[in-house]
Amino acid sequence: MGNGGGDRARIAQFADELIALKPDILLAVGTPSVEELRRRTTTIPIVFAVVTDPVSQGFVQNLAHPGGNVTGFTDYDGPLAGKWLEMLTQVTPRPSRVFVVYNPATAPFAPLMLGTIEDAGRALDVTVESAPVHDTASIVALASRKDGGLLVLPDFFTMSNRALLLAAINEARVPAVFWSRTFVDEGGLMSYSTDSAEQLRRAASYIDRILKGARAADLPVQNPTTFELAINLKTAKAIGVTLPPSLLATANEVIE
Amino acid sequence: MNRREVLALLGVTAALPASVLAQTNATRRLGVLSVTAADDAIGQTRSAVLVQALAGHGWKERDNSRSIGQRRRRPRTDRAIRR
């Protein structure tokens, strides 16, 4: 088993410990947390946040009526993935090829997003290719991908390793779009993302309702409602690309 | 690559051991399982947002809940763990 296996073993161990404490309710942040907790209880309510595609992963029967002991707030809405690609095509010089970066072990939902991105690629006339990463060497190797833009998927692996990832991408001097503003604050070119703080605030409201007697089965899973766009112009200058005023005008944050 | 490097690379798991939440006439236990790096500002921000949001609904962490968390954390000192 790869690195993701050891990681999962650790999450599993924490899940065991939490369940042993007999909590009244559980909050699971991130897809692996939900997977490990729901495997251990069908009775304790689980509210999730920052989770992608809970239906395909079998967490809930459907968004409107989750049906079991699991409900919560997703970090992904279909159009998001297409928007990432579209942003890359607005960069001058325009990339004709885009590499999609993620770790298959920690982003089991990646095929869903890749499908959307490939559809968008056909419409925008951009070649889309996967560039899976799973360890230091594979991240460092991204520095040699100089013939296209990079699209980094929402994946805790990419977040945890963002310093390494950003160093490789900036060494390649290629445009990149990220799933969280944190990357842009730390030198990434641009991001379009949901607000995870908002998801936690909304999760707290479900925790409150369930503790007061509501059933998780009856509380609909909700998709994100607010999005934010961030652009780092310092990085744009450093790698020699320009961005159209129309994109800059819609940014929530521009780092000069 | 040694184990410590592997952990750092994977970032990940932070368990917030069951917090005891108290509201008037009610005490409940909340367990939080999260996947963020130990020293990552994102995880810390998320914890703060959660505590504040729960307080907004009248749920406060009981005085001793944090010490429960601290005690549980101490045996594991590697960076993958926080609060």
PDB file of all heavy atoms in Angstrom, chain B residues 37-66:
ATOM      1  N   ALA B  37      -2.938  19.547   8.311  1.00  0.00           N
ATOM      2  CA  ALA B  37      -1.610  19.361   8.896  1.00  0.00           C
ATOM      3  C   ALA B  37      -1.565  19.963  10.295  1.00  0.00           C
ATOM      4  O   ALA B  37      -2.256  20.919  10.616  1.00  0.00           O
ATOM      5  CB  ALA B  37      -0.569  20.014   8.011  1.00  0.00           C
ATOM      6  N   ALA B  38      -0.724  19.355  11.107  1.00  0.00           N
ATOM      7  CA  ALA B  38      -0.634  19.717  12.519  1.00  0.00           C
ATOM      8  C   ALA B  38      -0.355  21.201  12.719  1.00  0.00           C
ATOM      9  O   ALA B  38      -0.994  21.862  13.526  1.00  0.00           O
ATOM     10  CB  ALA B  38       0.462  18.891  13.161  1.00  0.00           C
ATOM     11  N   ASP B  39       0.601  21.706  11.962  1.00  0.00           N
ATOM     12  CA  ASP B  39       1.015  23.092  12.208  1.00  0.00           C
ATOM     13  C   ASP B  39       0.425  24.025  11.152  1.00  0.00           C
ATOM     14  O   ASP B  39       0.938  25.096  10.888  1.00  0.00           O
ATOM     15  CB  ASP B  39       2.546  23.170  12.177  1.00  0.00           C
ATOM     16  CG  ASP B  39       3.102  22.570  10.897  1.00  0.00           C
ATOM     17  OD1 ASP B  39       2.304  22.050  10.106  1.00  0.00           O
ATOM     18  OD2 ASP B  39       4.315  22.629  10.688  1.00  0.00           O
ATOM     19  N   ASP B  40      -0.645  23.573  10.545  1.00  0.00           N
ATOM     20  CA  ASP B  40      -1.204  24.340   9.447  1.00  0.00           C
ATOM     21  C   ASP B  40      -2.193  25.386   9.947  1.00  0.00           C
ATOM     22  O   ASP B  40      -3.115  25.081  10.687  1.00  0.00           O
ATOM     23  CB  ASP B  40      -1.903  23.379   8.477  1.00  0.00           C
ATOM     24  CG  ASP B  40      -2.055  23.997   7.110  1.00  0.00           C
ATOM     25  OD1 ASP B  40      -2.465  25.168   7.044  1.00  0.00           O
ATOM     26  OD2 ASP B  40      -1.768  23.322   6.129  1.00  0.00           O
ATOM     27  N   ALA B  41      -1.988  26.589   9.485  1.00  0.00           N
ATOM     28  CA  ALA B  41      -2.864  27.685   9.905  1.00  0.00           C
ATOM     29  C   ALA B  41      -4.314  27.415   9.532  1.00  0.00           C
ATOM     30  O   ALA B  41      -5.239  27.858  10.215  1.00  0.00           O
ATOM     31  CB  ALA B  41      -2.398  28.985   9.271  1.00  0.00           C
ATOM     32  N   ILE B  42      -4.535  26.659   8.469  1.00  0.00           N
ATOM     33  CA  ILE B  42      -5.899  26.393   8.028  1.00  0.00           C
ATOM     34  C   ILE B  42      -6.671  25.630   9.100  1.00  0.00           C
ATOM     35  O   ILE B  42      -7.802  25.963   9.431  1.00  0.00           O
ATOM     36  CB  ILE B  42      -5.889  25.569   6.723  1.00  0.00           C
ATOM     37  CG1 ILE B  42      -5.321  26.441   5.614  1.00  0.00           C
ATOM     38  CG2 ILE B  42      -7.288  25.111   6.352  1.00  0.00           C
ATOM     39  CD1 ILE B  42      -4.982  25.666   4.383  1.00  0.00           C
ATOM     40  N   GLY B  43      -6.024  24.600   9.664  1.00  0.00           N
ATOM     41  CA  GLY B  43      -6.679  23.816  10.701  1.00  0.00           C
ATOM     42  C   GLY B  43      -6.988  24.661  11.921  1.00  0.00           C
ATOM     43  O   GLY B  43      -8.057  24.549  12.524  1.00  0.00           O
ATOM     44  N   GLN B  44      -6.068  25.524  12.265  1.00  0.00           N
ATOM     45  CA  GLN B  44      -6.275  26.378  13.436  1.00  0.00           C
ATOM     46  C   GLN B  44      -7.414  27.352  13.199  1.00  0.00           C
ATOM     47  O   GLN B  44      -8.253  27.574  14.064  1.00  0.00           O
ATOM     48  CB  GLN B  44      -4.979  27.124  13.759  1.00  0.00           C
ATOM     49  CG  GLN B  44      -3.915  26.180  14.315  1.00  0.00           C
ATOM     50  CD  GLN B  44      -2.509  26.734  14.205  1.00  0.00           C
ATOM     51  OE1 GLN B  44      -2.323  27.942  14.050  1.00  0.00           O
ATOM     52  NE2 GLN B  44      -1.525  25.862  14.267  1.00  0.00           N
ATOM     53  N   THR B  45      -7.446  27.918  12.002  1.00  0.00           N
ATOM     54  CA  THR B  45      -8.524  28.843  11.674  1.00  0.00           C
ATOM     55  C   THR B  45      -9.862  28.131  11.712  1.00  0.00           C
ATOM     56  O   THR B  45     -10.843  28.637  12.249  1.00  0.00           O
ATOM     57  CB  THR B  45      -8.304  29.429  10.258  1.00  0.00           C
ATOM     58  OG1 THR B  45      -7.022  30.010  10.226  1.00  0.00           O
ATOM     59  CG2 THR B  45      -9.352  30.470   9.923  1.00  0.00           C
ATOM     60  N   ARG B  46      -9.891  26.913  11.170  1.00  0.00           N
ATOM     61  CA  ARG B  46     -11.138  26.151  11.140  1.00  0.00           C
ATOM     62  C   ARG B  46     -11.647  25.877  12.546  1.00  0.00           C
ATOM     63  O   ARG B  46     -12.841  25.987  12.819  1.00  0.00           O
ATOM     64  CB  ARG B  46     -10.927  24.830  10.407  1.00  0.00           C
ATOM     65  CG  ARG B  46     -10.895  25.008   8.914  1.00  0.00           C
ATOM     66  CD  ARG B  46     -10.677  23.688   8.232  1.00  0.00           C
ATOM     67  NE  ARG B  46     -10.735  23.836   6.788  1.00  0.00           N
ATOM     68  CZ  ARG B  46     -10.352  22.905   5.944  1.00  0.00           C
ATOM     69  NH1 ARG B  46      -9.889  21.754   6.401  1.00  0.00           N
ATOM     70  NH2 ARG B  46     -10.442  23.095   4.657  1.00  0.00           N
ATOM     71  N   SER B  47     -10.742  25.498  13.443  1.00  0.00           N
ATOM     72  CA  SER B  47     -11.147  25.233  14.822  1.00  0.00           C
ATOM     73  C   SER B  47     -11.762  26.477  15.454  1.00  0.00           C
ATOM     74  O   SER B  47     -12.789  26.411  16.112  1.00  0.00           O
ATOM     75  CB  SER B  47      -9.944  24.793  15.665  1.00  0.00           C
ATOM     76  OG  SER B  47      -9.563  23.502  15.301  1.00  0.00           O
ATOM     77  N   ALA B  48     -11.112  27.609  15.218  1.00  0.00           N
ATOM     78  CA  ALA B  48     -11.600  28.858  15.800  1.00  0.00           C
ATOM     79  C   ALA B  48     -12.979  29.210  15.245  1.00  0.00           C
ATOM     80  O   ALA B  48     -13.879  29.616  15.993  1.00  0.00           O
ATOM     81  CB  ALA B  48     -10.605  29.978  15.515  1.00  0.00           C
ATOM     82  N   VAL B  49     -13.136  29.021  13.937  1.00  0.00           N
ATOM     83  CA  VAL B  49     -14.428  29.322  13.300  1.00  0.00           C
ATOM     84  C   VAL B  49     -15.522  28.443  13.875  1.00  0.00           C
ATOM     85  O   VAL B  49     -16.621  28.901  14.193  1.00  0.00           O
ATOM     86  CB  VAL B  49     -14.329  29.110  11.762  1.00  0.00           C
ATOM     87  CG1 VAL B  49     -15.707  29.104  11.121  1.00  0.00           C
ATOM     88  CG2 VAL B  49     -13.450  30.175  11.141  1.00  0.00           C
ATOM     89  N   LEU B  50     -15.209  27.163  14.063  1.00  0.00           N
ATOM     90  CA  LEU B  50     -16.191  26.216  14.580  1.00  0.00           C
ATOM     91  C   LEU B  50     -16.622  26.577  15.995  1.00  0.00           C
ATOM     92  O   LEU B  50     -17.822  26.631  16.298  1.00  0.00           O
ATOM     93  CB  LEU B  50     -15.604  24.801  14.550  1.00  0.00           C
ATOM     94  CG  LEU B  50     -16.515  23.712  15.107  1.00  0.00           C
ATOM     95  CD1 LEU B  50     -17.739  23.532  14.212  1.00  0.00           C
ATOM     96  CD2 LEU B  50     -15.763  22.397  15.262  1.00  0.00           C
ATOM     97  N   VAL B  51     -15.645  26.831  16.842  1.00  0.00           N
ATOM     98  CA  VAL B  51     -15.947  27.152  18.241  1.00  0.00           C
ATOM     99  C   VAL B  51     -16.822  28.407  18.311  1.00  0.00           C
ATOM    100  O   VAL B  51     -17.808  28.470  19.044  1.00  0.00           O
ATOM    101  CB  VAL B  51     -14.635  27.334  19.045  1.00  0.00           C
ATOM    102  CG1 VAL B  51     -14.904  27.960  20.410  1.00  0.00           C
ATOM    103  CG2 VAL B  51     -13.935  25.985  19.210  1.00  0.00           C
ATOM    104  N   GLN B  52     -16.470  29.379  17.483  1.00  0.00           N
ATOM    105  CA  GLN B  52     -17.218  30.636  17.471  1.00  0.00           C
ATOM    106  C   GLN B  52     -18.647  30.425  16.956  1.00  0.00           C
ATOM    107  O   GLN B  52     -19.606  30.960  17.513  1.00  0.00           O
ATOM    108  CB  GLN B  52     -16.477  31.633  16.587  1.00  0.00           C
ATOM    109  CG  GLN B  52     -16.939  33.061  16.766  1.00  0.00           C
ATOM    110  CD  GLN B  52     -16.139  34.001  15.875  1.00  0.00           C
ATOM    111  OE1 GLN B  52     -15.613  33.582  14.838  1.00  0.00           O
ATOM    112  NE2 GLN B  52     -16.034  35.245  16.280  1.00  0.00           N
ATOM    113  N   ALA B  53     -18.755  29.600  15.901  1.00  0.00           N
ATOM    114  CA  ALA B  53     -20.081  29.360  15.322  1.00  0.00           C
ATOM    115  C   ALA B  53     -20.972  28.597  16.301  1.00  0.00           C
ATOM    116  O   ALA B  53     -22.159  28.885  16.432  1.00  0.00           O
ATOM    117  CB  ALA B  53     -19.945  28.591  14.015  1.00  0.00           C
ATOM    118  N   LEU B  54     -20.400  27.624  16.992  1.00  0.00           N
ATOM    119  CA  LEU B  54     -21.186  26.882  17.986  1.00  0.00           C
ATOM    120  C   LEU B  54     -21.626  27.805  19.121  1.00  0.00           C
ATOM    121  O   LEU B  54     -22.760  27.723  19.596  1.00  0.00           O
ATOM    122  CB  LEU B  54     -20.365  25.706  18.535  1.00  0.00           C
ATOM    123  CG  LEU B  54     -20.181  24.528  17.574  1.00  0.00           C
ATOM    124  CD1 LEU B  54     -19.118  23.572  18.091  1.00  0.00           C
ATOM    125  CD2 LEU B  54     -21.508  23.788  17.370  1.00  0.00           C
ATOM    126  N   ALA B  55     -20.733  28.696  19.515  1.00  0.00           N
ATOM    127  CA  ALA B  55     -21.075  29.655  20.577  1.00  0.00           C
ATOM    128  C   ALA B  55     -22.231  30.541  20.123  1.00  0.00           C
ATOM    129  O   ALA B  55     -23.100  30.910  20.916  1.00  0.00           O
ATOM    130  CB  ALA B  55     -19.856  30.494  20.933  1.00  0.00           C
ATOM    131  N   GLY B  56     -22.249  30.834  18.815  1.00  0.00           N
ATOM    132  CA  GLY B  56     -23.334  31.632  18.260  1.00  0.00           C
ATOM    133  C   GLY B  56     -24.697  30.960  18.417  1.00  0.00           C
ATOM    134  O   GLY B  56     -25.730  31.620  18.456  1.00  0.00           O
ATOM    135  N   HIS B  57     -24.685  29.627  18.500  1.00  0.00           N
ATOM    136  CA  HIS B  57     -25.925  28.883  18.718  1.00  0.00           C
ATOM    137  C   HIS B  57     -26.127  28.582  20.199  1.00  0.00           C
ATOM    138  O   HIS B  57     -26.997  27.804  20.563  1.00  0.00           O
ATOM    139  CB  HIS B  57     -25.906  27.573  17.922  1.00  0.00           C
ATOM    140  CG  HIS B  57     -25.967  27.774  16.447  1.00  0.00           C
ATOM    141  ND1 HIS B  57     -27.132  28.129  15.788  1.00  0.00           N
ATOM    142  CD2 HIS B  57     -25.005  27.735  15.494  1.00  0.00           C
ATOM    143  CE1 HIS B  57     -26.877  28.262  14.501  1.00  0.00           C
ATOM    144  NE2 HIS B  57     -25.594  28.030  14.292  1.00  0.00           N
ATOM    145  N   GLY B  58     -25.270  29.158  21.036  1.00  0.00           N
ATOM    146  CA  GLY B  58     -25.433  28.982  22.478  1.00  0.00           C
ATOM    147  C   GLY B  58     -24.668  27.810  23.060  1.00  0.00           C
ATOM    148  O   GLY B  58     -24.763  27.514  24.242  1.00  0.00           O
ATOM    149  N   TRP B  59     -23.892  27.118  22.207  1.00  0.00           N
ATOM    150  CA  TRP B  59     -23.114  25.977  22.704  1.00  0.00           C
ATOM    151  C   TRP B  59     -21.709  26.436  23.048  1.00  0.00           C
ATOM    152  O   TRP B  59     -20.976  26.892  22.187  1.00  0.00           O
ATOM    153  CB  TRP B  59     -23.041  24.859  21.658  1.00  0.00           C
ATOM    154  CG  TRP B  59     -24.349  24.235  21.361  1.00  0.00           C
ATOM    155  CD1 TRP B  59     -25.167  24.528  20.312  1.00  0.00           C
ATOM    156  CD2 TRP B  59     -25.013  23.228  22.123  1.00  0.00           C
ATOM    157  NE1 TRP B  59     -26.298  23.758  20.369  1.00  0.00           N
ATOM    158  CE2 TRP B  59     -26.231  22.941  21.471  1.00  0.00           C
ATOM    159  CE3 TRP B  59     -24.697  22.542  23.298  1.00  0.00           C
ATOM    160  CZ2 TRP B  59     -27.134  21.994  21.953  1.00  0.00           C
ATOM    161  CZ3 TRP B  59     -25.596  21.595  23.772  1.00  0.00           C
ATOM    162  CH2 TRP B  59     -26.798  21.334  23.102  1.00  0.00           C
ATOM    163  N   LYS B  60     -21.364  26.308  24.311  1.00  0.00           N
ATOM    164  CA  LYS B  60     -20.022  26.718  24.739  1.00  0.00           C
ATOM    165  C   LYS B  60     -19.232  25.470  25.110  1.00  0.00           C
ATOM    166  O   LYS B  60     -19.783  24.517  25.640  1.00  0.00           O
ATOM    167  CB  LYS B  60     -20.099  27.611  25.985  1.00  0.00           C
ATOM    168  CG  LYS B  60     -21.067  28.764  25.844  1.00  0.00           C
ATOM    169  CD  LYS B  60     -20.382  29.987  25.312  1.00  0.00           C
ATOM    170  CE  LYS B  60     -21.354  31.179  25.388  1.00  0.00           C
ATOM    171  NZ  LYS B  60     -21.023  32.243  24.481  1.00  0.00           N
ATOM    172  N   GLU B  61     -17.944  25.525  24.854  1.00  0.00           N
ATOM    173  CA  GLU B  61     -17.095  24.446  25.353  1.00  0.00           C
ATOM    174  C   GLU B  61     -17.057  24.561  26.869  1.00  0.00           C
ATOM    175  O   GLU B  61     -16.826  25.645  27.403  1.00  0.00           O
ATOM    176  CB  GLU B  61     -15.665  24.609  24.812  1.00  0.00           C
ATOM    177  CG  GLU B  61     -15.493  24.040  23.443  1.00  0.00           C
ATOM    178  CD  GLU B  61     -14.029  24.037  23.051  1.00  0.00           C
ATOM    179  OE1 GLU B  61     -13.457  25.123  22.932  1.00  0.00           O
ATOM    180  OE2 GLU B  61     -13.479  22.958  22.883  1.00  0.00           O
ATOM    181  N   ARG B  62     -17.300  23.451  27.547  1.00  0.00           N
ATOM    182  CA  ARG B  62     -17.249  23.505  28.994  1.00  0.00           C
ATOM    183  C   ARG B  62     -15.809  23.700  29.430  1.00  0.00           C
ATOM    184  O   ARG B  62     -14.892  23.296  28.731  1.00  0.00           O
ATOM    185  CB  ARG B  62     -17.814  22.215  29.599  1.00  0.00           C
ATOM    186  CG  ARG B  62     -18.888  22.512  30.615  1.00  0.00           C
ATOM    187  CD  ARG B  62     -19.628  21.289  31.007  1.00  0.00           C
ATOM    188  NE  ARG B  62     -18.723  20.181  31.363  1.00  0.00           N
ATOM    189  CZ  ARG B  62     -19.167  19.002  31.747  1.00  0.00           C
ATOM    190  NH1 ARG B  62     -20.450  18.777  31.826  1.00  0.00           N
ATOM    191  NH2 ARG B  62     -18.332  18.040  32.063  1.00  0.00           N
ATOM    192  N   ASP B  63     -15.631  24.318  30.588  1.00  0.00           N
ATOM    193  CA  ASP B  63     -14.279  24.705  31.019  1.00  0.00           C
ATOM    194  C   ASP B  63     -13.264  23.570  30.947  1.00  0.00           C
ATOM    195  O   ASP B  63     -12.119  23.770  30.607  1.00  0.00           O
ATOM    196  CB  ASP B  63     -14.328  25.247  32.455  1.00  0.00           C
ATOM    197  CG  ASP B  63     -15.065  26.566  32.494  1.00  0.00           C
ATOM    198  OD1 ASP B  63     -15.242  27.162  31.423  1.00  0.00           O
ATOM    199  OD2 ASP B  63     -15.475  26.986  33.585  1.00  0.00           O
ATOM    200  N   ASN B  64     -13.725  22.368  31.262  1.00  0.00           N
ATOM    201  CA  ASN B  64     -12.744  21.278  31.344  1.00  0.00           C
ATOM    202  C   ASN B  64     -12.509  20.574  30.013  1.00  0.00           C
ATOM    203  O   ASN B  64     -11.672  19.703  29.909  1.00  0.00           O
ATOM    204  CB  ASN B  64     -13.174  20.254  32.392  1.00  0.00           C
ATOM    205  CG  ASN B  64     -14.457  19.559  31.986  1.00  0.00           C
ATOM    206  OD1 ASN B  64     -15.144  20.032  31.089  1.00  0.00           O
ATOM    207  ND2 ASN B  64     -14.770  18.447  32.622  1.00  0.00           N
ATOM    208  N   SER B  65     -13.261  20.946  28.980  1.00  0.00           N
ATOM    209  CA  SER B  65     -13.167  20.167  27.751  1.00  0.00           C
ATOM    210  C   SER B  65     -11.799  20.325  27.097  1.00  0.00           C
ATOM    211  O   SER B  65     -11.241  19.402  26.546  1.00  0.00           O
ATOM    212  CB  SER B  65     -14.262  20.568  26.773  1.00  0.00           C
ATOM    213  OG  SER B  65     -14.109  21.896  26.399  1.00  0.00           O
ATOM    214  N   ARG B  66     -11.267  21.514  27.187  1.00  0.00           N
ATOM    215  CA  ARG B  66      -9.988  21.749  26.546  1.00  0.00           C
ATOM    216  C   ARG B  66      -8.891  20.939  27.250  1.00  0.00           C
ATOM    217  O   ARG B  66      -7.992  20.410  26.627  1.00  0.00           O
ATOM    218  CB  ARG B  66      -9.649  23.229  26.591  1.00  0.00           C
ATOM    219  CG  ARG B  66      -9.021  23.720  25.320  1.00  0.00           C
ATOM    220  CD  ARG B  66      -9.037  25.225  25.274  1.00  0.00           C
ATOM    221  NE  ARG B  66     -10.208  25.727  24.556  1.00  0.00           N
ATOM    222  CZ  ARG B  66     -10.190  26.006  23.265  1.00  0.00           C
ATOM    223  NH1 ARG B  66      -9.111  25.816  22.568  1.00  0.00           N
ATOM    224  NH2 ARG B  66     -11.244  26.467  22.670  1.00  0.00           N
TER     225      ARG B  66
END
